[in-house]
Amino acid sequence: MRASRLLSLLLLLQTRGRMTAGELAEELEVSVRTVYRDVDALSAAGVPVYADRGPAGGYQLLDGYRTRLNGLTAEEASSLFLAGLPGPAAELGLSEVVANAELKLLAALPPEPRSQASRMRERFLLDVPGWYRGADDVPLLSVVAEAVWEQRAVRMTYRRWGQQVVERLVHPYGLVLKGGSWYLVAAPAGGGDPRTYRVSRVLTVEPGGHSFERPEGFELGGFWRAYAQEFRERMYTAEAVIRTAPGIEKLLAYTMGDDVVAAAMAAAGEPDAEGWHTLTVPIESITHARWLLLRMGASVEVLGPPELREMMAEAVAELGKIYG
């Protein structure tokens, strides 16, 4: 256990440079006193680690020192080959780079981890888009990605959902792949909070002519999680009360979302004498809810709101005229 921690400490210093004892303790999930002891152990083993004192001080390795140990277990090496997604890598113009990196990693691994990593690549594939829709067409993705990497402003024309075309000068912070669609996270060049842009709707991209500094403390993963949560809250503007037949839960979850139905089932009471549950579910709009719930046929009854129940009755009546 301690040997693994010492190696982790060494690799942290090698990859991140100067780190304080507190930062190392937080990363390694140990006490600061343990960090002191581990640093002493590394020094005694001949690793050139030294400390700078003062407010801006911390531990760091002697300039030029690099360890050739990668410390990868067979499982860790295998997992890396799930990260090399061929589709997204090709869209970013990195398919050849990823292939070369995998080849070099395989060559550097000992026999057992190399064998396990090869099996992982042969037996597992991650296909990002859903079944009923293909990936977006993103001809400008590599240009946008280059601007993200180089921290350079870009001027772009963008087609909004309402088909309106707008022009924006933005600072691109990062790219997110969600459900087969690429999203650009960028902030207005004149100042303001980051926004998201679907890359398939970017029509033109031109260099903005200047570089920029990323905001201190901005973390792409944290931003996206908060954005996704806010999006869901904005998406659901109302609620519907429905009765669901026994055994319909999986189909309802497929139609309305696993988390939505799971939360509704958890809040529901006991089923009635016929085994039907009464659920309160969030909906985007009355019209959208009618379209979703009609897919359930006679396995779902809408109790409210009255407008939705009335629209369901009208739709069923029209179907009755068609099918007799």
Side-chain angles (χ1 to χ4, degrees):
M1 180 68 178
R2 190 189 185 203
S4 174
R5 191 176 67 243
L6 288 174
L7 180 57
S8 296
L9 192 155
L10 174 57
L11 293 175
L12 280 170
L13 293 177
Q14 181 170 296
T15 55
R16 300 191 187 180
R18 181 186 290 113
M19 296 182 68
T20 66
E23 291 170 339
L24 287 167
E26 183 176 354
E27 286 286 343
L28 299 171
E29 298 182 350
V30 297
S31 67
V32 172
R33 185 180 297 275
T34 299
V35 170
Y36 293 152
R37 289 197 298 265
D38 287 350
V39 170
D40 288 340
L42 286 176
S43 297
V47 177
V49 57
Y50 66 94
D52 288 326
R53 301 187 182 280
Y59 292 109
Q60 67 181 41
L61 297 172
L62 188 67
D63 288 345
Y65 177 83
R66 304 286 295 179
T67 176
R68 293 187 178 273
L69 294 174
N70 59 36
L72 290 175
T73 65
E75 291 77 13
E76 290 167 342
S78 301
S79 69
L80 292 178
F81 288 89
L82 287 178
L85 307 181
E91 291 174 340
L92 289 168
L94 297 174
S95 55
E96 184 176 350
V97 174
V98 170
N100 289 339
E102 286 189 358
L103 182 61
K104 291 177 181 178
L105 178 57
L106 279 173
L109 290 173
E112 175 56 29
R114 183 190 310 146
S115 173
Q116 190 159 327
S118 296
R119 290 197 302 272
M120 178 71 76
R121 184 170 57 178
E122 293 167 356
R123 289 164 171 75
F124 295 93
L125 175 68
L126 181 57
D127 185 14
V128 176
W131 279 110
Y132 302 107
R133 58 182 297 269
D136 285 349
D137 184 22
V138 282
L140 297 176
L141 178 62
S142 59
V143 181
V144 174
E146 184 177 357
V148 169
W149 182 253
E150 295 181 351
Q151 291 187 202
R152 300 200 67 83
V154 293
R155 188 178 301 279
M156 66 182 188
T157 53
Y158 183 77
R159 188 177 70 251
R160 289 178 168 173
W161 288 107
Q163 304 304 313
Q164 178 188 10
V165 176
V166 296
E167 183 176 298
R168 294 286 185 266
L169 179 64
V170 298
H171 292 167
Y173 291 166
L175 286 164
V176 177
L177 179 61
K178 170 71 171 178
S181 299
W182 286 96
Y183 294 87
L184 170 67
V185 177
D193 295 331
R195 304 172 186 175
T196 62
Y197 301 87
R198 192 162 177 166
V199 179
S200 62
R201 293 180 172 270
V202 176
L203 305 178
T204 63
V205 179
E206 298 177 359
H210 66 273
S211 60
F212 64 91
E213 293 295 327
R214 291 168 63 86
E216 185 176 353
F218 176 81
E219 197 265 313
L220 184 61
F223 168 84
W224 185 258
R225 286 189 293 273
Y227 168 79
Q229 177 64 30
E230 181 186 350
F231 177 81
R232 291 188 65 82
E233 292 173 356
R234 284 189 285 109
M235 181 174 67
Y236 294 125
T237 59
E239 290 182 336
V241 181
I242 60 177
R243 289 180 70 237
T244 61
I248 199 66
E249 291 81 8
K250 288 186 178 180
L251 181 58
L252 187 64
Y254 177 80
T255 302
M256 304 195 72
D258 292 331
D259 52 347
V260 168
V261 174
M265 290 295 295
E270 294 296 321
D272 61 21
E274 299 176 340
W276 288 55
H277 280 95
T278 298
L279 307 179
T280 300
V281 294
I283 57 174
E284 295 183 37
S285 66
I286 299 295
T287 303
H288 186 254
R290 178 192 62 171
W291 176 76
L292 285 180
L293 295 173
L294 280 173
R295 300 168 69 180
M296 303 291 100
S299 297
V300 168
E301 177 190 0
V302 174
L303 301 180
E307 306 96 305
L308 177 56
R309 185 177 175 90
E310 185 176 323
M311 291 178 69
M312 294 287 288
E314 291 173 355
V316 171
E318 291 298 321
L319 288 171
K321 293 178 183 178
I322 294 174
Y323 294 106

